[in-house]
Amino acid sequence: MTPISHHPACCSPLQDHWPLPFALPGVQLISTRFDPSLLDPEDFTRCGVPGMSAVSKRQTEFLAGRLCAREALRRTTGEPCTPAVNEDRSPCWPTGAVGSITHGAGWAAAVVARHEQWRGIGLDVEKRLPPTRADRLVAEILTPRELEGYVELDEAQRALLVTLTFSLKESLFKALYPLVNKRFYFQEAELIDHDSTGRARLRLLSDLSEEWKSGAELDGQFVQFEDDYLLSLVSIPA
């Protein structure tokens, strides 16, 4: 891996490990671990990443995500540019590329692909919700159909289901939002299938655009890693 001119102490060396169960042709995933206590105020300038006004944790995760995105873009397009920030706070990917950034609990990652191969891609990492919190959030995240059989699950299964559904719908939003330019929420899509191999399938429950209407289905995948974390990805082929 070609190093950047400066790598901050708050981020571990960039990794190109693909932790998800199914590789996607032409898609690069770059990740790093980050520690806000090691952030140097000059790291943004040294790394060539525009700074931001925020608490140390937010600054560090932003920097880590942008470093992953830049390396993923370099590997995909040959141009190691740093995605700017759109007015809606989403990453602004260069023409010809699609991507997604995620971070949580000291881990950050970015996926990037060429637009000619993939129209959209969304990546999300979540820490598994505690059972009590999962039960509080379930009616917000799961649709009535997804709630069928929920009460018969044990608390660990309930927590995993809510976390998985939350994460996949976040990935769905990240993949679709650049195509529809419209915000949509948890009750506007549902997880219709998932299995032990890490495959998932989602369905839209409302019209988001002329192309993306209620009933449209999309593929996703997910993996549990390091015991308490779940990573999901939704991809839209060209």
Side-chain angles (χ1 to χ4, degrees), residues 9-10 13 16 20 27 46 60 91 94 100 111 121 123 128 131 149 159-160 164 167 187 202 216 226 234 238:
C10 62
D16 63 357
L20 290 152
V27 178
R46 293 169 182 157
T60 311
S100 182
V111 284
I121 194 162
L123 184 72
R128 189 189 303 212
L160 178 58
L164 174 62
S167 186
Q187 296 295 318
L202 299 107
E226 297 187 2
V234 170

Side-chain angles (χ1 to χ4, degrees), residues 3-236:
I4 59 174
S5 56
H6 170 76
H7 191 80
C10 62
C11 296
S12 67
L14 300 180
Q15 300 293 318
D16 63 357
H17 171 61
W18 181 270
L20 290 152
F22 308 107
L24 299 178
V27 178
Q28 290 285 341
L29 190 155
I30 303 296
S31 65
T32 184
R33 297 192 175 280
F34 61 87
D35 183 348
S37 69
L38 299 178
L39 178 68
D40 185 322
E42 296 300 317
D43 280 337
F44 282 90
T45 300
R46 293 169 182 157
C47 291
V49 176
M52 62 181 306
S53 298
V55 298
S56 178
K57 175 182 178 296
R58 177 71 186 109
Q59 289 189 55
T60 311
E61 65 189 17
F62 179 88
L63 177 63
R66 259 37 189 200
L67 294 181
C68 291
R70 179 162 65 189
E71 176 61 18
L73 281 166
R74 184 191 71 80
R75 287 168 171 250
T76 303
T77 69
E79 296 294 333
C81 63
T82 303
V85 180
N86 289 316
E87 289 186 7
D88 59 10
R89 309 305 300 167
S90 64
C92 180
W93 300 99
T95 301
V98 296
S100 182
I101 300 172
T102 190
H103 38 67
W107 188 81
V111 284
V112 171
R114 289 184 178 274
H115 191 266
E116 63 198 34
Q117 287 182 281
W118 299 93
R119 296 183 61 199
I121 194 162
L123 184 72
D124 181 72
V125 64
E126 299 292 338
K127 185 171 184 178
R128 189 189 303 212
L129 292 166
T132 53
R133 181 163 170 76
D135 287 341
R136 286 199 304 270
L137 294 175
V138 64
E140 176 186 341
I141 296 168
L142 272 63
T143 65
R145 178 186 175 279
E146 291 169 329
L147 278 167
E148 294 174 4
Y150 182 79
V151 295
E152 285 112 45
L153 301 175
D154 64 37
E155 66 174 21
Q157 292 172 322
R158 295 198 308 270
L160 178 58
L161 177 62
V162 176
T163 307
L164 174 62
T165 307
F166 180 95
S167 186
L168 280 164
K169 289 183 181 182
E170 286 288 314
S171 290
L172 176 69
F173 178 85
K174 291 180 179 182
L176 267 182
Y177 178 71
L179 299 177
V180 300
N181 293 310
K182 178 182 179 181
R183 294 196 173 276
F184 58 99
Y185 303 94
F186 294 116
Q187 296 295 318
E188 296 182 79
E190 64 184 5
L191 178 60
I192 58 174
D193 189 34
H194 67 284
D195 61 34
S196 60
T197 70
R199 294 187 188 277
R201 187 82 170 165
L202 299 107
R203 177 187 295 141
L204 297 182
L205 300 180
S206 65
D207 295 344
L208 302 179
S209 70
E210 283 299 313
E211 178 182 6
W212 295 100
K213 294 182 177 293
S214 178
E217 296 184 6
L218 300 95
D219 288 323
Q221 57 176 294
F222 62 93
V223 65
Q224 296 182 67
F225 68 107
E226 297 187 2
D227 299 326
D228 288 335
Y229 294 91
L230 190 144
L231 183 68
S232 71
L233 183 146
V234 170
S235 52
I236 304 171

